[in-house]
Amino acid sequence: MTERMARPDAQDAPSGRLARIPPLVDVDAHVVEPPDLWSGRLPARHRDAGPRIEHAPAGEVRLVDGRYVETPGTEGPDVAWWVYEDTRNQIKRYIAAAGVPADEVTNEGITYADMRPGCWRPSERLADMDLNGVQAQMCFPNYPRFCGQIFLWGKDRELALLSVRAYNDWMVEEWCGSSGGRLIPLCIVPLWDVDLAVAEVRRNAARGVRAVAFSELPAYLGLPGLHTGYWDPFFAACEETGTVLSMHIGSGTKTPQTSPDAPPAVGATIIFGNSVASMTDFLFSGVLHRFPRLKLLYAEAQIGWIPYLLERVDDVWETHRGWAHTRDNCPEPPSTYYYRQITSCFFKDAVGVEILHKVGLENVTFETDYPHQDGTWPRSREAAALQFGHLDQESIDKIARGNAIRLLGLDLPGS
């Protein structure tokens, strides 16, 4: 039987476990971009079309051709809207839910005044990390989507490129720059041009960035898939610079659905299927064979599903080699590449911890998901204690911080 994984309190963990959890290194949190990020950095000629905050009443959300289209309303209090070219997106409560009771977390629009300042102010984020026992933290984007795909959909490519660079400059200089190394930079790239993506990886690596956001399933975004070889220059640049390819669950934009009338709970439960598909794609594509020093990070994917996937891909590789082209680009059993090059992070997966010997102790890291509703703030150390505080101290230290420090090449006190 697994232990209860409701929101954990200190008393949930057996006596002594909490004291064994060291300061966490969190490889998956999120930032709500400040309202002046782009308006303060884009050239004046682009500011009217570039991302900016406007206030208007909350409106309706429609699904059109697989993408959500939002339209402001005409009545009620104003909420904050990101406006970029001709698209509008409300800032919603569920993406800034830290400190809000679950019953009050909805998908309705809010303003910056309605959220904890730690969602978007770096000094306040550090304070919230202190409350949560987190020493260092890496944050995925919010408004640009998890791999910056909002700019892929932009019509003006010059503006889109400038917006990507502005985000990265803000990430390095403002969000992380005054944190003393506690906020870990994660940058985005121009997804529509592999050469521009390569240049952006190298530009950021030259100033110490060691992680880049990418889509789990680029073909879901209408981009070339992994099997085409199109992305090889990008993967080569990541390998050469030691930049970790970081893929957040849902970064393919398309979420699994069982039927048009299924409630949101269904998609929220099975979304890890995208990570299953992505990892299988990488294992059979030959990417990890061609780039043996390339490191992948799967964020918010949890880990309990991984052992069966590894068993299945190895069996397909062996059993179906006569017709499934299993060895065209994958000369070794696929699990070989997983244990060598892939890390996944979790924050609610007691089942995965039970089979950690099959997941791989060296292949997992911990996360908090702050400030999303799914996150464990301000009791993330308690969540860690409840799930893996019974392990030996060396294993605890690796999961809580050591594996993340090694993966990202961090220089932190106590490491």
Side-chain angles (χ1 to χ4, degrees):
M1 294 287 292
T2 60
E3 296 185 65
R4 179 169 61 89
M5 262 313 297
R7 292 220 178 245
D9 293 307
Q11 62 265 27
D12 289 319
S15 177
R17 281 195 185 185
L18 185 59
R20 303 179 68 209
I21 304 298
L24 302 173
V25 176
D26 176 10
V27 293
D28 174 34
H30 297 268
V31 60
V32 177
E33 293 78 17
D36 61 348
L37 190 161
W38 286 279
S39 60
R41 288 182 174 272
L42 287 173
R45 69 183 185 278
H46 286 298
R47 288 175 190 166
D48 288 342
R52 62 201 182 278
I53 288 290
E54 295 181 359
H55 291 88
E60 65 171 346
V61 181
R62 294 176 295 119
L63 187 62
V64 179
D65 296 329
R67 287 170 54 188
Y68 289 101
V69 177
E70 302 185 42
T71 307
T74 57
E75 298 180 351
D78 285 352
V79 302
W81 289 81
W82 277 111
V83 182
Y84 168 49
E85 293 188 336
D86 57 358
T87 65
R88 293 174 179 267
N89 299 91
Q90 301 170 84
I91 296 181
K92 301 178 181 65
R93 166 55 72 200
Y94 68 81
I95 61 94
V100 179
D103 289 343
E104 298 176 18
V105 178
T106 68
N107 62 357
E108 296 175 353
I110 59 172
T111 68
Y112 282 84
D114 297 324
M115 67 181 82
R116 287 186 69 84
C119 294
W120 60 284
R121 289 178 176 161
S123 61
E124 298 290 344
R125 174 61 63 94
L126 295 176
D128 279 355
M129 289 163 57
D130 290 339
L131 286 174
N132 203 25
V134 174
Q135 182 181 15
Q137 186 176 79
M138 186 170 78
C139 297
F140 280 82
N142 171 51
Y143 170 67
R145 308 295 290 270
F146 294 150
C147 63
Q149 60 263 49
I150 195 78
F151 301 118
L152 170 66
W153 302 326
K155 299 179 179 66
D156 184 335
R157 288 301 193 211
E158 180 188 16
L159 171 59
L161 179 58
L162 289 171
S163 296
V164 167
R165 290 174 176 168
Y167 178 88
N168 292 338
D169 291 345
W170 167 83
M171 168 62 63
V172 173
E173 297 165 8
E174 294 189 37
W175 183 249
C176 300
S178 61
S179 71
R182 294 186 63 190
L183 291 171
I184 304 162
L186 171 67
C187 289
I188 59 177
V189 294
L191 292 165
W192 58 91
D193 187 308
V194 69
D195 293 327
L196 291 175
V198 167
E200 193 62 12
V201 165
R202 296 191 183 282
R203 183 176 83 94
N204 292 310
R207 48 184 176 175
V209 177
R210 292 294 176 265
V212 63
F214 190 62
S215 175
E216 289 180 305
L217 294 160
Y220 277 14
L221 299 176
L223 297 167
L226 301 183
H227 305 275
T228 64
Y230 173 84
W231 296 104
D232 279 8
F234 174 64
F235 297 143
C238 291
E239 181 183 58
E240 292 165 14
T241 59
T243 300
V244 177
L245 200 67
S246 305
M247 296 171 288
H248 195 283
I249 198 165
S251 55
T253 298
K254 186 190 303 182
T255 56
Q257 294 292 337
T258 56
S259 65
D261 57 349
V266 173
T269 300
I270 65 175
I271 191 172
F272 76 94
N274 282 1
S275 300
V276 177
S278 173
M279 193 177 293
T280 305
D281 227 20
F282 268 101
L283 292 174
F284 277 125
S285 67
V287 169
L288 301 182
H289 176 71
R290 294 192 297 276
F291 305 101
R293 292 180 291 111
L294 177 66
K295 301 297 183 182
L296 311 185
L297 172 67
Y298 282 88
E300 207 172 318
Q302 314 304 335
I303 59 176
W305 51 272
I306 292 174
Y308 174 70
L309 175 65
L310 298 180
E311 177 182 307
R312 178 61 180 164
V313 293
D314 279 359
D315 182 65
V316 169
W317 181 84
E318 176 63 31
T319 303
H320 302 294
R321 63 186 183 273
W323 64 271
H325 303 285
T326 62
R327 305 192 184 191
D328 291 358
N329 297 305
C330 188
E332 299 179 73
S335 63
T336 305
Y337 305 103
Y338 165 81
Y339 288 115
R340 187 177 71 192
Q341 294 173 255
I342 299 179
T343 299
S344 293
C345 58
F346 74 99
F347 63 116
K348 290 180 181 177
D349 196 342
V351 171
V353 174
E354 286 187 1
I355 52 176
L356 186 60
H357 61 290
K358 293 185 177 181
V359 178
L361 175 61
E362 308 290 333
N363 299 84
V364 298
T365 59
F366 200 59
E367 60 169 292
T368 72
D369 197 35
Y370 177 101
H372 287 182
Q373 183 185 15
D374 224 11
T376 53
W377 184 91
R379 297 187 176 92
S380 297
R381 287 184 66 251
E382 287 88 337
L386 184 60
Q387 293 174 85
F388 60 88
H390 61 288
L391 302 178
D392 63 272
Q393 192 63 52
E394 181 180 5
S395 298
I396 291 172
D397 292 346
K398 285 184 177 181
I399 298 169
R401 58 187 286 109
N403 289 343
I405 290 171
R406 172 176 50 81
L407 177 68
L408 296 167
L410 303 179
D411 182 13
L412 295 173
S415 62

